[in-house]
Each structure stands twice: as C-alpha cells, then as structure tokens.
Amino acid sequence: MGDVLAGFQAVWEFESDSVLIRYERGVRTPKLFQALGERRVPLTALEGVSLAEGRRGTVVLRLEPRAGADPLLEAAAGQLPEGLDPYRLVMPAERETLAEYYADELKAALTESGPADRHLIDAPEAPRRFKAYDGKASFDGTSVRFRWSWTGASSAKWKAGDQRFAVTELGGVEWRSPEAFEGYLRLLPNDPTAAAPPVPPDQDAATVVFGLGYGPVHESLPFAAAVLAAVRTRGAVPAIPAAPRRDPADIAERIRHLGELHQAGLVTDEEFSAKKAELLAEL
C-alpha cells in the first residue's frame, strides 16, 4: 500500500508485505513504546485486523498477531493492559472512514492463521539489562547473568552466588508484571524434568524479583522477550564482549555484607570462605 496512518502515540506505515510501526517519543507515550522504538510486523505474522470505537471520541485500529509470532507478546502472556498493547493505533473518531479503509485493505492481504511455528516479529535486540529489587540482570545475546544486591537479595541467593545461564541451558522465561503483586522474571530450564521443585521467587537463584521502581515493564519485558527469542533460536544472537572486571570497592562491600551474614549465622564458615575467595578472584 505504501501509505502512512498517524495516531496519537504511533505512526503506521503500510508496505506490500508488512506494517512498520513507529512509536512517538513524548511524555504521553508509554515508556514501553518508547523503549521499543519501532517494530516491523510481517503480514504473515497476522491473522486479523479489527476496528472498534474507542474512548472519548476515538477509534482504535488493532492488528491481531498469530499466537507465537511475537516474542514480546509470548513473554507478556496476556498481562499487558490495553494501554500498553503495542498493536493498537488510537485515532480521532473523524478518521474512522480512513481507518476502515486500511482495515479492509489489510484483511484482504492476510493469508495466514493459527499459531506460528516460530517467531515472525523481531525481538528487542541484545544487549539488555535492568535493575531488579534483589539484583541486576544482564543479557549479552548468549547468556543471562544475575548479580545479587546486598541490600535486597535473600541469604539463599547470597549462598548460591551470582548466576550465569547460557541460552543453551534454558527452555524459556516466566515474566510476571511488576505492576501486579509479586512480579518477577524466572529463567526456565531446558529440561523441565531435571528442574528442582518450585521455590518462592525470592529464594530461587534462577529468578530476580521486582518491586516498586525495580524491573519496570519497559525494561524487564523487552529483556524477557530478547531472552525468549534467543532460546527459540538457541543462541543465534551475536554475543558482545564480556563485561569488565568488578570495581574493587564493590567487591569490598559485598565481602562486608557476606561477613554480616556469617556473623548472623546465615552462612557457614565453609560457605563464607568459599564465597569470599570467589569474590576476590573477580578483582
């Protein structure tokens, strides 16, 4: 079609085989949309288009992706509120006739339906990182790292130590929105039968816990989608150079906190010595 349709928070550009969504940058645009920047949606990833009356004199044109076509929606697992749906274009009601025209044109161009056997829409690119309540999460395209925070991590996580998970070891991700009660990001093993019995997120070394201001949707959800997409392709995302060694001051602070856990009886003598040697080796 080659035309452009502008809404309140995004602009859609219609091409012969895809729709390019460009999200606006501004105070009224959700941070998730700003973080995504733009998304190219192949027509093969869609199974429908809808047009409905919106709120306060608006109409809403919405693309309907096939199940499994978008890693972002797969990771979100239906938890995104309407206002954070990246496939809604909200326009003034006076543009309803124009929106109806594009809806009909798109419907005529769609040829696929049903679940997709692979991701057809690109995931947010690595590297990605965000700060959770009990640690920092980073993903370089081939592995996920959890670095525990001395102010928020449980003693169980401190005993387990900072974690690294290769994409090849993972079978998926479980994301629970930070806007709901007890949000978290859990990494799922490649072989579910070998997994340990479920434990609470704050005790699980394969999970980072969210909180007020920690793990916000616009950071943690694109992170989860990027990891999920890499898992599906088994680490095909190019890796970036390894992170530099730790700041000595940070190592000293972590050893100090480890000592507090030791004095409180939460860490044994052997665990204290082993973890201290591990931290010193990072200098």
Side-chain angles (χ1 to χ4, degrees), residues 161-241:
D162 293 348
Q163 300 291 302
R164 177 186 179 277
F165 303 87
V167 165
T168 52
E169 301 172 349
L170 302 177
V173 299
E174 181 182 5
W175 181 80
R176 289 293 176 265
S177 175
E179 296 184 350
F181 183 63
E182 296 184 344
Y184 60 83
L185 173 67
R186 190 193 304 270
L187 302 178
L188 305 178
N190 189 21
D191 182 6
T193 62
V199 296
D202 66 327
Q203 302 295 308
D204 185 2
T207 305
V208 286
V209 177
F210 303 151
L212 184 62
Y214 296 95
V217 172
H218 70 281
E219 294 180 356
S220 62
L221 180 56
F223 184 105
V227 174
L228 182 60
V231 168
R232 292 287 185 269
T233 55
R234 288 289 171 229
V237 182
I240 62 169

Side-chain angles (χ1 to χ4, degrees), residues 7-276:
F8 288 123
Q9 297 174 340
V11 174
W12 288 9
E13 183 176 342
F14 301 93
E15 301 178 355
S16 60
D17 61 351
S18 63
V19 178
L20 178 61
I21 303 176
R22 301 181 188 275
Y23 300 102
E24 300 287 348
R25 294 189 178 277
V27 294
R28 295 188 177 183
T29 301
K31 290 183 178 180
L32 175 61
F33 296 173
Q34 296 185 49
L36 294 174
E38 67 177 43
R39 309 200 82 199
R40 184 174 297 279
V41 185
L43 298 186
T44 54
L46 302 174
E47 63 180 359
V49 184
S50 64
L51 179 64
E53 181 179 344
R55 301 175 182 175
R56 292 176 287 187
T58 63
V59 292
V60 180
L61 182 63
R62 184 181 186 276
L63 302 179
E64 299 172 3
R66 298 164 60 193
D70 181 7
L72 188 82
L73 291 189
E74 185 178 349
Q79 298 174 77
L80 289 178
E82 185 179 81
L84 293 184
D85 183 347
Y87 295 105
R88 296 173 76 249
L89 185 66
V90 182
M91 296 167 289
E94 56 265 25
R95 307 192 72 185
E96 181 176 5
T97 300
L98 183 61
E100 186 174 9
Y101 164 77
Y102 283 108
D104 290 341
E105 289 288 300
L106 279 173
K107 289 177 183 178
L110 301 184
T111 60
E112 305 292 337
S113 63
D117 59 1
R118 60 187 176 86
H119 291 151
L120 299 172
I121 301 169
D122 290 340
E125 294 182 355
R128 306 206 70 86
R129 58 182 56 85
F130 70 89
K131 186 175 183 180
Y133 173 74
D134 57 359
K136 294 180 180 179
S138 62
F139 176 53
D140 65 6
T142 60
S143 63
V144 179
R145 293 178 182 271
F146 291 161
R147 175 186 171 191
W148 305 124
S149 166
W150 68 272
T151 57
S154 64
S155 59
K157 290 184 177 180
W158 268 94
K159 288 180 180 180
D162 293 348
Q163 300 291 302
R164 177 186 179 277
F165 303 87
V167 165
T168 52
E169 301 172 349
L170 302 177
V173 299
E174 181 182 5
W175 181 80
R176 289 293 176 265
S177 175
E179 296 184 350
F181 183 63
E182 296 184 344
Y184 60 83
L185 173 67
R186 190 193 304 270
L187 302 178
L188 305 178
N190 189 21
D191 182 6
T193 62
V199 296
D202 66 327
Q203 302 295 308
D204 185 2
T207 305
V208 286
V209 177
F210 303 151
L212 184 62
Y214 296 95
V217 172
H218 70 281
E219 294 180 356
S220 62
L221 180 56
F223 184 105
V227 174
L228 182 60
V231 168
R232 292 287 185 269
T233 55
R234 288 289 171 229
V237 182
I240 62 169
R245 287 189 173 271
R246 300 275 183 83
D247 182 349
D250 178 62
I251 294 293
E253 180 62 28
R254 292 165 72 80
I255 291 175
R256 184 194 67 78
H257 180 63
L258 184 65
E260 292 176 354
L261 294 176
H262 180 228
Q263 291 179 358
L266 297 175
V267 175
T268 66
D269 293 343
E270 293 77 11
E271 291 169 336
F272 172 75
S273 298
K275 183 60 180 177
K276 180 179 179 181

